[in-house]
Structures are given as C-alpha cells and as structure tokens.
C-alpha cells in the first residue's frame, strides 16, 4: 500500500514537472517569436548643414566628353574635350591599378549629407553631352574593372546619329550606371528666364524618367557655369545635387556646386592622375 502511494506521488511529481517544463519552453518560444516579429528601430539620420558638408573631404570626380581619335591638326577645343580611346582605356586601368573604386551620386549624397562611409579611394567617372561612344567605348571599358559611371544627358540629342539612343540610356541604367540631366539643349543656366526653367530642367527630367523608369535626381550645369539664382530653380525641379567644374563651391549650397575636373585629351595617363590629385588635394 505504501509502495503504491509512493509511486502515485512520484508519478504526480513527474507530470507536474513535465507540464512546468512545457510551459517554460512555450514561454521561451513566444518570447523568441515576439523578438523576431518586433521591427528594429530605424536609425534616425541627421542631415548635415552646409558648413559640415564643406568639411568633408572631396571625392575626385572626372568629367569626360568625347572618346574618339583626333589628328594633330585638330583645334584646341577638340583636343581639350576629346580623349582618344587608347588613352581612356589606359586611364581606367590606371585608376584600377591605383586602388580606386567608382562611386555614384547616391553614395556621394549619403556621404556628404549623412557622413556615410565610402569605399577606400573613391572616384566618380562622369560623361557629358550624350555622345554615343560614351556607351560603346566608355561603358565597355569601365566594365573590365567593375566601374560604374554617371551619364549626363541633354535630351535634345537622344536618338540623333552618333549620340545615345533611348535603348542605350535604358541599358546603361539597367546595368547599374546613373543617368542624370544636362538640360534640353545645353544652354547655360545663367541666361535662363521665364519658361526656360521648365524647358531646360523639368521637361528633360521627366523625359529621362520615362525612359529609364527611375527618378532623375542629379544635374550638371552646361559649361560648368552656374549662379545663385539658378539653385532655387534646380531645387524646385526636384534635383538633389548639381555638378559644376573645378571652380569654387558655394558656401550656402555646396550640394548644388559639386566640383568636377575635365580630363583633357592632351594629357598622358600619368598627367591625368597627377591633375586629379592636385585638383582634389584633400581627397579621402
């Protein structure tokens, strides 16, 4: 009888113990489930002011126009704005060999505004004026080094002979390059008035967005020329940054005066590398 009672008590103890373990296990599973289900708190980003942006080390930004051969008798403008294909190939290889990594405007914006990290030795490779060889030669050469570029398009030229087609522009975008605006017909912004802002800023932006199916957030001034009156219009048109050439940035709106350097067709590859380092002395 005593033995029977003892066995009964033992059985009851084991049953209670198993139930407690099951409850604890269930509680742990619920806790884990709730932890997984709970969304992480998003980090609150604080935008830098103009003074803070100006303290960031500048990123080297190269500006190319034509990539084709030219003769020794070519005019000075042609020589300045045209880089021979073999030299362009050398320059891309030199950048890669020196450890540079290409970046795009979204990365530059996040770095300048939110101080987000960039790759080691960043460089931006940009193209102006919509020339066809920028796709057939430029993009093809950059692909060898996994470089991505920025193509500033003036929309009046799209589909013209020796210029980028709609298909080229869409392919570049789909391949990871950035498409950006360079006005409708390359008139300098310092002379805009009235409907010019709509014609040169708003309509080209919408046309390019229709072609690539993505927002167009960046703009390059024709000839690199800008004035303070243009910046509010560029902002109002929906652009996040605008690019000049290698003149001084604006202290109030540095995001709308991002410096670039034209690569001259008269330079050797070592000269180009030296010019880049001299132009962007405080580069990261």
């Amino acid at each position: 009888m005593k033995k029977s009672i003892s066995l009964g008590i033992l059985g009851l103890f084991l049953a209670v113990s198993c139930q407690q373990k099951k409850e604890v296990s269930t509680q742990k599973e619920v806790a884990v489930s709730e932890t997984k289900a709970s969304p992480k708190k998003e980090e609150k980003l604080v935008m830098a002011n103009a003074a803070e942006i100006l303290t960031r080390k500048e990123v080297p930004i190269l500006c190319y126009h034509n990539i084709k051969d030219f003769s020794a008798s070519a005019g000075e403008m042609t020589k300045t704005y045209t880089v021979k294909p073999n030299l362009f190939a050398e320059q891309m290889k030199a950048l890669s060999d020196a450890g540079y990594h290409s970046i795009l405007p979204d990365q530059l914006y996040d770095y300048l505004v939110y101080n987000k990290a960039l790759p080691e030795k960043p460089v931006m490779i940009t193209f102006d004026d919509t020339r066809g060889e920028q796709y057939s030669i430029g993009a093809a050469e950059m692909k060898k080094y996994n470089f991505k570029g920025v193509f500033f398009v003036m929309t009046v030229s799209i589909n013209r002979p020796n210029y980028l087609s709609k298909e080229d522009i869409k392919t570049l975008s789909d391949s990871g390059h950035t498409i950006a605006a360079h006005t409708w017909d390359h008139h300098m912004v310092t002379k805009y008035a009235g409907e010019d802002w709509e014609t040169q800023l708003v309509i080209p932006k919408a046309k390019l967005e229709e072609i690539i199916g993505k927002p167009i957030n960046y703009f390059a001034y024709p000839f690199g020329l800008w004035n303070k009156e243009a910046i509010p219009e560029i902002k109002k048109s929906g652009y996040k940054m605008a690019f000049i050439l290698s003149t001084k940035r604006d202290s109030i709106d540095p995001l709308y005066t991002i410096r670039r350097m034209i690569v001259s067709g008269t330079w050797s590859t070592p000269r180009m590398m030296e010019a880049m380092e001299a132009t962007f002395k405080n580069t990261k």
Side-chain angles (χ1 to χ4, degrees):
M1 181 72 176
K2 288 182 179 179
K3 186 176 180 180
S4 176
I5 294 172
S6 297
L7 288 173
I9 293 172
L10 178 61
L12 180 62
F13 172 79
L14 290 173
V16 171
S17 177
C18 287
Q19 180 63 29
Q20 288 176 337
K21 286 180 180 179
K22 185 176 180 180
E23 289 175 356
V24 170
S25 177
T26 302
Q27 289 171 355
K28 286 182 178 179
E29 289 175 3
V30 170
V32 170
S33 176
E34 287 177 349
T35 301
K36 288 182 178 179
S38 299
K40 290 183 179 179
K41 290 184 179 180
E42 291 186 6
E43 180 184 354
K44 188 175 181 181
L45 298 175
V46 179
M47 295 185 69
N49 58 36
E52 290 169 330
I53 289 170
L54 289 167
T55 65
R56 309 267 196 256
K57 293 180 179 179
E58 287 185 271
V59 171
I61 306 179
L62 305 177
C63 175
Y64 291 93
H65 289 79
N66 303 321
I67 307 173
K68 62 182 182 180
D69 288 311
F70 57 86
S71 66
S73 61
E76 288 306 310
M77 288 292 287
T78 296
K79 291 178 179 179
T80 297
Y81 286 91
T82 306
V83 174
K84 293 181 178 181
N86 65 311
L87 279 175
F88 182 82
E90 282 184 12
Q91 290 166 11
M92 295 302 102
K93 185 178 186 302
L95 288 170
S96 179
D97 289 347
Y100 281 93
H101 298 84
S102 68
I103 68 163
L104 294 174
D106 283 347
Q107 292 168 278
L108 181 63
Y109 181 87
D110 285 344
Y111 163 67
L112 293 173
V113 176
Y114 300 117
N115 201 25
K116 289 191 175 183
L118 290 174
E120 184 180 4
K121 298 189 76 170
V123 64
M124 189 181 293
I125 304 164
T126 72
F127 301 88
D128 285 9
D129 297 355
T130 331
R131 297 288 182 175
E133 66 268 10
Q134 297 170 1
Y135 172 76
S136 60
I137 299 174
E141 201 62 43
M142 288 192 295
K143 187 176 180 180
K144 296 178 181 178
Y145 309 102
N146 198 30
F147 287 164
K148 301 298 181 184
V150 188
F151 293 80
F152 289 103
V153 176
M154 52 181 186
T155 51
V156 71
S157 300
I158 297 173
N159 288 333
R160 288 184 175 180
N162 303 318
Y163 287 88
L164 296 176
S165 67
K166 286 184 178 180
E167 291 74 20
D168 294 337
I169 293 168
K170 181 70 164 63
T171 300
L172 285 167
S173 176
D174 290 347
S175 299
H177 300 281
T178 294
I179 303 300
H182 197 37
T183 75
W184 175 57
D185 64 353
H186 211 265
H187 282 170
M188 59 185 70
V189 302
T190 53
K191 295 187 176 181
Y192 292 175
E195 294 181 359
D196 290 337
W197 301 108
E198 178 83 8
T199 301
Q200 301 289 353
L201 299 180
V202 178
I203 295 175
K205 185 178 190 295
K207 183 178 182 66
L208 291 171
E209 288 175 341
E210 181 183 356
I211 292 171
I212 68 171
K214 301 173 187 174
I216 298 295
N217 294 321
Y218 306 104
F219 174 82
Y221 299 91
F223 311 102
L225 298 175
W226 64 281
N227 57 14
K228 290 182 180 295
E229 290 74 24
I231 293 177
E233 297 292 340
I234 294 169
K235 289 180 180 180
K236 188 167 63 178
S237 300
Y239 297 99
K240 293 167 63 175
M241 290 194 302
F243 294 75
I244 60 174
L245 291 176
S246 55
T247 53
K248 187 178 179 181
R249 292 179 290 174
D250 183 62
S251 61
I252 305 300
D253 284 298
L255 289 179
Y256 291 86
T257 50
I258 303 292
R259 298 172 70 241
R260 299 186 296 161
M261 180 192 84
I262 291 178
V263 179
S264 172
T266 64
W267 293 345
S268 66
T269 296
R271 174 74 182 89
M272 183 279 287
M273 298 293 284
E274 290 171 4
M276 181 180 71
E277 292 167 3
T279 302
F280 302 93
K281 288 181 180 178
N282 64 340
T283 54
K284 190 173 181 178

